[in-house]
Amino acid sequence: AQKITQTQPGMFVQEKEAVTLDCTYDTSDPSYGLFWYKQPSSGEMIFLIYQGSYDQQNATEGRYSLNFQKARKSANLVISASQLGDSAMYFCAMREGANSKLTFGKGITLSVRP
Amino acid sequence: DADVTQTPRNRITKTGKRIMLECSQTKGHDRMYWYRQDPGLGLRLIYYSFDVKDINKGEISDGYSVSRQAQAKFSLSLESAIPNQTALYFCATSISLAGRNEQYFGPGTRLTVT
């Protein structure tokens, strides 16, 4: 079974609107971390936000927030007030236990329309 | 200056050639990783190293080898390159402290094997 699943096809959002990018995960380890990375067309990988499995509150970093639903094993990224510069590929990743290795999903392409 | 650097940034080589990709970091992190990215497949872990004397195989290590020359340097070698090793290669680093331990990525090396 895939550990990280990102199944949305290419996503489109109007500038200034909010968008949610879906991520579901699969692990039996009670201690894990979930990450979102952004990859613009220039290719670099940019860390956006982190959610720990024991964190009581959903993570937020500026315009990014993580809708963490532990029972559903989902960790959706919400981008508020989309900007043209948000157009990129977005990857969800998971770290299990104390191991710092990451398992990545296949990514979602987001296009922001002016 | 970039904290994680990769050389070369682009490389075209022929089938059967030996090639080395190099990664250096100034972040003082002890953990380093090599990933490859293929379209539609996300990032997959090739090798990782938790310190100079600790090297581990990742998900797709066949056809690759690595060397951790110093805490700050981690190189990836393709002993005999083949066309299906054409991909974007990323080096990443993290630190072994409790907490989120996000990985910081280099700019990537685009490798083409003809």
Side-chain angles (χ1 to χ4, degrees):
Chain A
Q2 286 187 335
K3 291 200 176 221
I4 295 287
T5 302
Q6 297 180 264
T7 58
Q8 290 168 304
M11 294 285 290
F12 294 87
V13 65
Q14 205 67 32
E15 195 177 7
K16 300 180 184 177
E17 293 185 349
V19 63
T20 298
L21 306 182
D22 296 342
C23 173
T24 58
Y25 60 92
D26 183 30
T27 181
S28 57
D29 197 316
S31 175
Y32 54 89
L34 297 156
F35 301 78
W36 278 91
Y37 283 84
K38 172 184 178 182
Q39 185 179 41
S41 58
S42 51
E44 70 269 32
M45 295 287 289
I46 303 167
F47 166 73
L48 294 178
I49 195 166
Y50 167 80
Q51 180 83 45
S53 59
Y54 295 121
D55 293 344
Q56 296 296 311
Q57 294 187 330
N58 286 345
T60 60
E61 292 279 355
R63 294 187 299 111
Y64 304 108
S65 60
L66 205 151
N67 183 0
F68 182 46
Q69 298 188 42
K70 198 168 182 177
R72 291 187 174 187
K73 293 188 175 180
S74 74
N76 299 338
L77 177 70
V78 180
I79 305 175
S80 63
S82 296
Q83 301 173 356
L84 296 178
D86 294 333
S87 294
M89 180 82 80
Y90 289 81
F91 292 94
C92 179
M94 177 173 66
R95 181 197 70 229
E96 294 177 271
N99 197 322
S100 60
K101 293 189 299 176
L102 294 181
T103 302
F104 283 82
K106 295 182 179 182
I108 303 168
T109 300
L110 174 67
S111 299
V112 180
R113 292 171 168 152
Chain B
D1 288 341
D3 295 319
V4 185
T5 57
Q6 292 183 233
T7 55
R9 294 293 312 280
N10 289 281
R11 180 72 182 266
I12 300 173
T13 192
K14 294 184 183 294
T15 297
K17 293 291 188 182
R18 183 180 188 275
I19 183 169
M20 179 181 288
L21 309 183
E22 298 187 348
C23 176
S24 294
Q25 52 113 348
T26 58
K27 299 187 75 67
H29 289 173
D30 50 347
R31 300 182 174 191
M32 299 186 73
Y33 313 80
W34 276 104
Y35 293 90
R36 67 176 277 176
Q37 182 181 15
D38 300 275
L41 294 180
L43 276 73
R44 293 181 292 165
L45 184 62
I46 305 172
Y47 271 95
Y48 61 103
S49 169
F50 285 173
D51 65 41
V52 175
K53 296 181 180 179
D54 180 69
I55 304 287
N56 304 279
K57 292 183 177 180
E59 181 185 352
I60 52 163
S61 59
D62 287 349
Y64 301 95
S65 62
V66 291
S67 173
R68 185 86 184 264
Q69 300 95 322
Q71 187 186 43
K73 295 183 182 296
F74 192 36
S75 59
L76 176 72
S77 293
L78 287 67
E79 296 300 325
S80 180
I82 56 176
N84 76 1
Q85 291 177 314
T86 293
L88 181 58
Y89 290 85
F90 285 104
C91 173
T93 74
S94 70
I95 194 165
S96 57
L97 291 175
R100 65 190 195 187
N101 303 134
E102 69 268 29
Q103 292 184 13
Y104 293 86
F105 284 78
T109 294
R110 192 166 294 280
L111 177 66
T112 303
V113 184
T114 62

